[in-house]
Amino acid sequence: MYFNHPTLLTPGPTPVTAQIQAEMNLPMVGHRSSDFEMIAKEAFQALKVVFGSQHDVMILSSSGTSALEASMVNLLEAEDHIVVIVSGAFGNRFKQIAQTYYSNVHVFDVTWGEAFDTKAVIDFIKNINHRIKAVFTQFCETSTAVLHPVAELGVALKQLDDALFYVVDGVSCIGAVDVDMQRDAIDVLVSGSQKAMGLPPGIAFVAYNERALRAFQQNQTPKFYLDLSKHYESLKASSTPYTPNITAFRGVNAYMRNANELGLKNVIQQHYQLRDAVRSALKALDLDLLVNDAVASPTVTAFIPKNKEELQTIKNELKAQFNITIAGGQGYLKGQILRVGHMADVSPFTLLSFIAALELILTKHRQTSLVGKGTTAFMEVLKDVI
Ligand SMILES: *Cc1c(COP(=O)(O)O)cnc(C)c1O
């Protein structure tokens, strides 16, 4: 083991900055106090920027999946027909939640590792003999590292049927992508704390437009904790219906202050630069990438080692020798791919150590020197943008 300091490069959770940690270490306050009202008010409002939302963003004290579930049980009625786009493990999760409550779920399957084709989705909807109430998709499908063209689909859906709701799971990319709910015709945009925003796990976000809010308020599906009309009533009073994760709310404010200071545009741009540098380095190390450049996520990259033995060696040695944690595949990509996260507080130098470690591991494993190959490719990309 060379380095004891752990390096977390999974596509969630992600490292939490000292600045956010410090804010979260401030003394606990009562959740029915004016202290908390100030914290909550700042958080609900500040998040509008990162979600491209016209309305204050709701915060649930539960993980990202709760926001996925809330987006369904507050929008849909028992008999509604909906379309769920499934392009990976998180699409499957949306499908499973939908099928828990509703029986008219139309699944649009996309080959794992590819982005949906907007025209194909529209044709699929046109060929269903029922009115479709809502379409659900991931923004970044974290399990395959694809970034879907959600804005393109949003605009196309609006042209197809003005009344249709478009719900986007942005858990693994909000904070690293340019999104504007109005421009992109998104009605509900959900996310979680522990991915591109670099907060600890445990809170989730729901951004919505006026139309979606009205639907939440009229919805009849049975629910209690996830009733968004209750959360909205509390939000208006700078509060929450139940005891919130006060610590994480403080974290949101520290994150947003920092993002505003750096400029969200710059934060987003840096994610894309690091993505390009990582992809170039992995290619130079003769590792195949699962996803085409055109639809590659700015937050996570999936790569395919030469064989299962090489895959295991990379994952194990990164951890054993360098204390670097990356992720494996999910679903049927388990054992086929590895995934490296490059979002939130991951610097070029953190990623360089990952690439350098890979060079050493692969040099030994393949019995041919790869020293400098990946790191050079990485630096070549960054030198043009610094
Ligand atoms: C991580 C993730 C989720 C689930 O979030 P949890 O916090 O684990 O419940 C949902 N969707 C996507 C795209 C994710 O990456």
Side-chain angles (χ1 to χ4, degrees), residues 11 63-66 68 90 93 138 140-142 169 171-172 194-195:
S63 86
T65 305
S66 71
L68 267 60
F90 290 102
R93 187 167 303 179
Q138 270 58 49
C140 166
E141 173 47 76
T142 325
D169 165 7
V171 174
S172 59
Q194 78 276 25
K195 310 252 167 120

Side-chain angles (χ1 to χ4, degrees), residues 107-288:
V107 175
F108 181 83
D109 274 306
V110 179
T111 306
W112 289 32
E114 289 178 15
F116 61 66
D117 177 63
T118 295
K119 193 174 169 302
V121 177
I122 298 294
D123 289 343
F124 179 79
I125 296 171
K126 280 184 181 162
N127 283 326
I128 298 171
N129 278 331
H130 298 273
R131 235 210 98 232
I132 296 299
K133 169 84 164 278
V135 174
F136 294 80
T137 184
Q138 270 58 49
F139 200 147
C140 166
E141 173 47 76
T142 325
S143 67
T144 62
V146 164
L147 191 78
H148 289 293
V150 296
E152 186 186 277
L153 180 58
V155 172
L157 287 172
K158 193 136 208 100
Q159 280 171 1
L160 180 71
D161 177 0
D162 227 6
L164 202 148
F165 286 98
Y166 184 36
V167 180
V168 174
D169 165 7
V171 174
S172 59
C173 64
I174 295 303
V177 290
D178 171 37
V179 64
D180 179 321
M181 291 178 65
Q182 215 163 42
R183 178 197 69 198
D184 305 338
I186 298 170
D187 296 290
V188 181
L189 177 59
V190 302
S191 195
S193 49
Q194 78 276 25
K195 310 252 167 120
M197 293 162 75
L199 292 161
I203 57 171
F205 311 105
V206 182
Y208 48 87
N209 60 15
E210 194 66 41
R211 213 161 67 86
L213 181 62
R214 274 200 304 279
F216 297 166
Q217 289 165 332
Q218 289 160 12
N219 187 269
Q220 299 296 316
T221 298
K223 64 212 162 254
F224 191 86
Y225 194 85
L226 293 181
D227 186 341
L228 293 179
S229 62
K230 277 197 220 134
H231 284 271
Y232 180 71
E233 286 310 308
S234 295
L235 173 144
K236 284 194 293 186
S238 305
S239 183
T240 55
Y242 318 108
T243 315
N245 186 336
I246 295 167
T247 307
F249 273 61
R250 283 199 193 277
V252 166
N253 291 339
Y255 162 75
M256 284 307 311
R257 282 176 212 149
N258 186 244
N260 288 328
E261 204 170 295
L262 295 170
L264 189 59
K265 263 209 170 89
N266 298 323
V267 174
I268 293 167
Q269 195 181 34
Q270 280 164 20
H271 278 87
Y272 280 86
Q273 289 164 355
L274 291 182
R275 172 198 72 176
D276 292 345
V278 167
R279 291 175 68 83
S280 175
L282 292 172
K283 284 178 198 165
L285 292 175
D286 209 8
L287 289 160
D288 288 333

